[in-house]
C-alpha cells in the first residue's frame, strides 16, 4: 500500500510541475482513502481472528449400540474431543453456525454386521438432508463415512440423524464421530 502512495504522490508531483491541474486525487484524498481501506482491512483481520470454530466428537466413550428406531433419530455425539468456539452442543448434538461462512463437516461410523440391520446416517442442515452414508453386511465390523462443505448463515444448524431401522456403534476407540470447522467467513 505504501508503494501505491509513493506512485500517486510522484504522479501528482509530476503533473503539478508541468503547470497543469493534477488529475490524480490530492494528497488529503489519498490519505483519507488509505485510512478507509486500512480500517476495513483491520476489521476483516479482526473478524477472521475472532471467529475460530472447530469441533470433533464421538457418540460415547464406552461401548454402546443405538437403534434400531422406527423413525429418523437425531444423534447426540456426547464425547467431545474438541469444541473451539463452543458452537457444538454435545447434549443436543446440534452445531449452530456463529457467523455466515463456508463450513466443512465429516462423519464416520461403525457397526457390527447384522443380517437384520445395517448402519445408515444422514447429515442434516436445518431440516434438509444433505448427504448420507450406509454400511450393511451380515457379519464382521463395517464402517462408512461422508462429508460436505456447506454455506451457512449465522444461526443455521447442522446435526446427524440415524436412518430409521438402522443401528450405530461406538466404544472407547471412537468409531463413530462427527466433526466440523469454519473454512472462512463470507
Amino acid at each position: 500500500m505504501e508503494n501505491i502512495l509513493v506512485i500517486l504522490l510522484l504522479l501528482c508531483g509530476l503533473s503539478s510541475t508541468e503547470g497543469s491541474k493534477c488529475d490524480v486525487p490530492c494528497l488529503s484524498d489519498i490519505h483519507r482513502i488509505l485510512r478507509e481501506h486500512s480500517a476495513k482491512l483491520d476489521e476483516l483481520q479482526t473478524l477472521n481472528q475472532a471467529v475460530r470454530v472447530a469441533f470433533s466428537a464421538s457418540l460415547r466413550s464406552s461401548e454402546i449400540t443405538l437403534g434400531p428406531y422406527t423413525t429418523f433419530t437425531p444423534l447426540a455425539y456426547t464425547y467431545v474431543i474438541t469444541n473451539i468456539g463452543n458452537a457444538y452442543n454435545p447434549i443436543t448434538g446440534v452445531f449452530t453456525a456463529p457467523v455466515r461462512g463456508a463450513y466443512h463437516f465429516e462423519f464416520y461410523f461403525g457397526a457390527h454386521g447384522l443380517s437384520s440391520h445395517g448402519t445408515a446416517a444422514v447429515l442434516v442442515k436445518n431440516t434438509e438432508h444433505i448427504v448420507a452414508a450406509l454400511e450393511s453386511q451380515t457379519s464382521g465390523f463395517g464402517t462408512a463415512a461422508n462429508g460436505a462443505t456447506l454455506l451457512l448463515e449465522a444461526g443455521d444448524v447442522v446435526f446427524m440423524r440415524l436412518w430409521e431401522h438402522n443401528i450405530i456403534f461406538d466404544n472407547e476407540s471412537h468409531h463413530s464421530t462427527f466433526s466440523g470447522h469454519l473454512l472462512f467467513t463470507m
Side-chain angles (χ1 to χ4, degrees), residues 51-114:
V51 181
R52 300 199 187 276
V53 179
F55 78 95
S56 190
S58 75
L59 274 177
R60 303 290 189 274
S61 59
S62 58
E63 190 166 319
I64 188 167
T65 298
L66 299 175
Y69 305 109
T70 57
T71 61
F72 286 99
T73 303
L75 293 170
Y77 292 74
T78 60
Y79 181 81
V80 175
I81 298 164
T82 189
N83 194 8
I84 299 165
N86 294 314
Y88 175 72
N89 183 331
I91 296 169
T92 63
V94 174
F95 171 85
T96 304
V99 295
R100 182 175 196 266
Y103 294 80
H104 184 74
F105 297 92
E106 296 178 349
F107 61 94
Y108 302 84
F109 58 77
H112 296 286
L114 299 172

Side-chain angles (χ1 to χ4, degrees), residues 118-145:
T119 298
V122 61
L123 179 72
V124 180
K125 173 187 170 187
N126 296 322
T127 60
E128 177 186 3
H129 285 197
I130 302 298
V131 294
L134 166 68
E135 188 288 320
S136 182
Q137 59 190 38
T138 57
S139 65
F141 189 82
T143 62

Side-chain angles (χ1 to χ4, degrees), residues 11-27:
L11 288 172
C12 192
L14 290 175
S15 295
S16 62
T17 58
E18 297 170 358
S20 64
K21 185 177 178 188
C22 180
D23 293 330
V24 180
C26 68
L27 188 57

